Amino acid sequence: MSVLRTSGGLSVAYRPRALAVGSGCLLLALLGALFTLASGGGDYPLSVDQVLSTLIGQGNPADAFIVREVRLPRVATGLLVGAALALGGAVFQSVVRNPLGSPDILGFTQGSAAGALVAIALLGGGSLALASGAILGGVGTGLLIYALSWRQGLHGYRLVLIGIGVTAILTGVNGYLLTRAQISEAARAVLWLTGSLDGRGWEDVLPLLCAMVVLLPVVLLGCARALHMLEMGDDTAYALGVRVDRVRLAALAAAVLLVSFGAAAAGPVAFVALVAPQLARRLTKAPGPNLLPAACLGSALLVLADLVAQRAFTGHELPVGVITGVLGGGYLVWLLATERRAGRI
Amino acid sequence: MDATAGTRLHGDGLTLGYDQRTIARDLDVAVPDESFTVIVGPNACGKSTLLRALSRMLKPAAGSVLLDGSDIHRLPPKQVARTLGLLPQASVAPDGITVADLVARGRYPHQGVLRQWSRTDERVVSESMASTGVAELADRFVAELSGGQRQRVWIAMALAQQTPLLLLDEPTTYLDIAHQIEVLDLCAGLHAEGRTVVAVLHDLNHAARYATHLIAMRDGEIVAEGEPAEVMTAERVEEVFQLPCTVIDDPESGTPLVVPAARHRVRA
């Protein structure tokens, strides 16, 4: 652990290795973003110089339109959604004290999907209705799971099991909603359900950006240190002066909102919330929820996965959720096998 | 004279229980300042429940625990954590944490967002590790340590809180006899430095040897309290534990030593 101190008695502690991992991932995410801005899906290639000059308000109008109105919103969505999902996942895994306690598995993303499907299939709404549906669905599922698993305090294992049950129910509900939808709406819904950054505009980015401006300080400044203490068990954390129930409720509420707003912007992109915190933890080798490194890694993961999705098959773009799903699913199998052997699950 | 003089921590009229099950009713208890108070009693007598109430882990259904004259549940949690430390029965060492990192977490009640790691924090953590004999383990992973070493690390973490009162819930459970004595000697040392120490112990002979103030409980009631020599009599042990016994002087320390009556003799 290293520390920066001011003469006024203020001090900030950090771990050099975690800092390196976090900034490395951030750099990778920004490089991936720059590359996406320059090349897009390969149709209208620009040089890095051209991209940078459009970003500072110069360059010809066609380039400026492509970069600022088409590619930049997509890249910004990728960066923010990756960070939001990863951060939400890191909080959940820390509170539940189990890598399986991530929003993908607990049913929050299925809840967002159900809300979005209601908006598309039953109400026939547009993209605003879809986003609102996703947020309401995620938050509603959060409340439901919390109410069902709360009994004289929250226990990680019960939360995971109830979450898995709720996921199963919601999967059924989602299937039913899809069959009720018109064929064109169903196609749109399925694309959204896979998770895609294609065609994102500033109207998709702004709500997420606002949510993150509010929620990041809540999580990183308000809860992070207490989450470290909570890892040692409720009694120990309480003995050290942590308001256990209050911190846990605030952290989980913020995480549910992050994941829901993320899903509203890009669809329930699979497995980022599960994988990013686990990878961050293995890279930093630091105990604790590793919130910032996880968020940076989530951004990098989603932006790079989107690059692959755009270019893997020429002339045929994949939704990014396909890539993260394949990578994340494989990682989950590996995780279950190794953690099982280590006796942690 | 006020009955609560000379005690920073006491409980008045405590009714304690979990859900609907009441464990103790209308209990008055006072921890004498600068004592090494040990609570003993048979299983399920309420001794751990009482310790949980005194350390504010359990909110009493009636009555109140007072710390320095204020209801402990009304005080800010961090302020309580700077006065009263607790070593719970079950703590989880996070994955991949080193001894120094774990002990450093004991500084939490003294820190804030802008005061994360002061020079005082650094000094207190090294001192806590030195006085519990874990300084040379500082960079080892907690998961690799033996049970006795791990317990000393947890005690070091509680010490780093720098509290004048320290409560320990069965600190010697699961340890072999040598490590039990090691941990109890450590607690006696902390007491000698001026701290008030409260522990729940199973072993009556350890309790009698180390305690300056003994509280004997049965069925949620305090049956006797005072100096071990007065409290620990053969009649009292039989009354509390239903165990016929003889009490002799401990040849090492002169404190009471409980020798259970022999009901079965092994033939030579």
Side-chain angles (χ1 to χ4, degrees):
Chain A
M1 192 153 55
S2 303
V3 61
L4 285 176
R5 293 198 179 99
T6 69
S7 51
L10 302 184
S11 54
V12 177
Y14 64 96
R15 287 169 189 278
R17 192 180 165 107
L19 192 68
V21 168
S23 25
C25 289
L26 189 63
L27 194 67
L28 201 63
L30 292 177
L31 280 177
L34 190 62
F35 190 73
T36 310
L37 287 179
S39 70
D43 293 338
Y44 190 90
L46 296 167
S47 71
V48 170
D49 282 349
Q50 284 171 306
V51 169
L52 293 178
S53 60
T54 58
L55 285 182
I56 55 170
Q58 293 164 352
N60 74 52
D63 293 355
F65 176 77
I66 289 285
V67 170
R68 290 211 295 255
E69 298 303 320
V70 179
R71 290 179 185 167
L72 193 55
R74 176 184 194 133
V75 163
T77 310
L79 288 171
L80 292 179
V81 169
L85 291 179
L87 199 57
V91 168
F92 265 102
Q93 293 179 17
S94 168
V95 168
V96 180
R97 298 186 196 118
N98 190 325
L100 288 184
S102 92
D104 299 305
I105 291 167
L106 292 183
F108 296 102
T109 37
Q110 289 293 336
S112 292
L117 281 175
V118 167
I120 297 179
L122 295 187
L123 308 175
S127 59
L128 181 66
L130 189 152
S132 322
I135 292 164
L136 288 177
V139 172
T141 312
L143 289 175
L144 179 71
I145 294 179
Y146 197 76
L148 286 176
S149 46
W150 177 268
R151 193 169 298 141
Q152 305 274 315
L154 197 68
H155 293 276
Y157 218 55
R158 188 159 59 216
L159 191 77
V160 171
L161 292 177
I162 287 179
I164 288 174
V166 170
T167 308
I169 296 170
L170 286 171
T171 308
V173 170
N174 290 350
Y176 168 75
L177 288 171
L178 273 178
T179 61
R180 286 285 308 272
Q182 300 290 327
I183 190 76
S184 60
E185 283 163 354
R188 193 173 131 225
V190 167
L191 182 63
W192 184 84
L193 282 177
T194 323
S196 170
L197 297 177
D198 191 32
R200 298 303 123 157
W202 288 113
E203 71 279 4
D204 297 304
V205 178
L206 277 179
L208 177 58
L209 187 65
C210 296
M212 288 184 79
V213 166
V214 175
L215 294 172
L216 284 189
V218 171
V219 174
L220 295 176
L221 298 178
C223 300
R225 289 165 40 70
L227 285 177
H228 277 87
M229 302 300 134
L230 267 177
E231 286 187 331
M232 297 184 286
D234 289 5
D235 282 359
T236 309
Y238 198 43
L240 287 170
V242 175
R243 295 172 193 265
V244 171
D245 289 333
R246 198 188 289 186
V247 165
R248 188 156 41 203
L249 190 62
L252 286 184
V256 168
L257 285 171
L258 280 170
V259 171
S260 304
F261 272 88
V269 183
F271 287 124
V272 174
L274 169 73
V275 172
Q278 287 295 315
L279 276 182
R281 200 188 181 100
R282 278 167 173 71
L283 289 174
T284 61
K285 296 197 169 145
N290 280 298
L291 296 176
L292 261 184
C296 297
L297 204 145
S299 285
L301 208 62
L302 202 57
V303 168
L304 296 180
D306 190 44
L307 257 179
V308 174
Q310 284 184 68
R311 305 173 69 89
F313 301 97
T314 20
H316 183 75
E317 183 172 312
L318 289 173
V320 67
V322 172
I323 305 292
T324 60
V326 170
L327 291 178
Y331 182 75
L332 178 62
V333 170
W334 180 82
L335 184 74
L336 286 173
T338 53
E339 297 280 293
R340 177 82 226 163
R341 231 170 287 141
R344 279 196 288 269
I345 294 179
Chain B
M1 200 180 100
D2 183 3
T4 62
T7 165
R8 300 182 64 177
L9 180 67
H10 57 106
D12 292 341
L14 298 177
T15 297
L16 307 173
Y18 304 97
D19 291 330
Q20 302 303 317
R21 203 161 52 93
T22 301
I23 307 245
R25 213 178 285 280
D26 207 23
L27 200 63
D28 292 318
V29 63
V31 174
D33 286 345
E34 293 173 27
S35 66
F36 188 160
T37 296
V38 174
I39 309 174
V40 294
N43 289 336
C45 70
K47 54 190 190 300
S48 279
T49 306
L50 176 60
L51 194 85
R52 289 181 67 77
L54 287 175
S55 59
R56 84 186 181 313
M57 294 293 125
L58 177 71
K59 201 168 179 162
S64 52
V65 171
L66 300 175
L67 176 65
D68 293 330
S70 312
D71 185 338
I72 199 165
H73 283 277
R74 287 176 190 277
L75 292 169
K78 274 193 171 182
Q79 185 187 326
V80 175
R82 289 192 292 264
T83 315
L84 182 153
L86 169 75
L87 185 71
Q89 258 184 52
S91 302
V92 190
D95 274 348
I97 197 166
T98 60
V99 168
D101 282 344
L102 188 69
V103 176
R105 291 190 174 187
R107 295 300 295 165
Y108 179 80
H110 299 270
Q111 297 167 331
V113 170
L114 294 176
R115 197 179 293 271
Q116 298 182 348
W117 191 238
S118 66
R119 285 183 208 287
T120 315
D121 293 336
E122 206 165 296
R123 180 176 52 75
V124 171
V125 167
S126 342
E127 283 171 5
S128 305
M129 288 196 291
S131 63
T132 48
V134 297
E136 65 276 21
L137 304 175
D139 296 321
R140 295 268 300 276
F141 290 109
V142 176
E144 305 173 338
L145 304 181
S146 73
Q149 290 173 324
R150 212 173 298 165
Q151 191 64 309
R152 279 188 287 150
V153 170
W154 283 110
I155 293 175
M157 191 197 81
L159 272 191
Q161 263 176 271
Q162 280 190 305
T163 58
L165 288 124
L166 184 59
L167 277 56
L168 307 106
D169 197 356
E170 298 191 18
T172 54
T173 312
Y174 308 123
L175 299 180
D176 65 34
I177 180 79
H179 287 126
Q180 290 183 22
I181 296 298
E182 189 181 276
V183 164
L184 288 169
D185 281 340
L186 176 58
C187 295
L190 300 176
H191 168 244
E193 287 168 13
R195 280 186 198 78
T196 306
V197 178
V198 185
V200 169
L201 293 179
H202 265 299
D203 189 309
L204 291 181
N205 295 329
H206 291 167
R209 182 184 275 198
Y210 288 94
T212 62
H213 185 81
L214 198 61
I215 298 180
M217 289 185 73
R218 199 191 145 187
D219 298 333
E221 284 176 15
I222 294 177
V223 182
E225 62 179 314
E227 282 182 31
E230 294 165 13
V231 173
M232 198 85 85
T233 60
E235 300 76 50
R236 190 75 51 48
V237 173
E238 178 155 7
E239 178 197 340
V240 173
F241 288 91
Q242 326 268 270
L243 175 77
C245 66
T246 314
V247 173
I248 59 173
D249 283 349
D250 182 329
E252 278 286 320
S253 57
T255 53
L257 183 70
V258 176
V259 182
R263 275 176 270 191
H264 298 283
R265 270 177 215 284
V266 179
R267 284 188 205 93

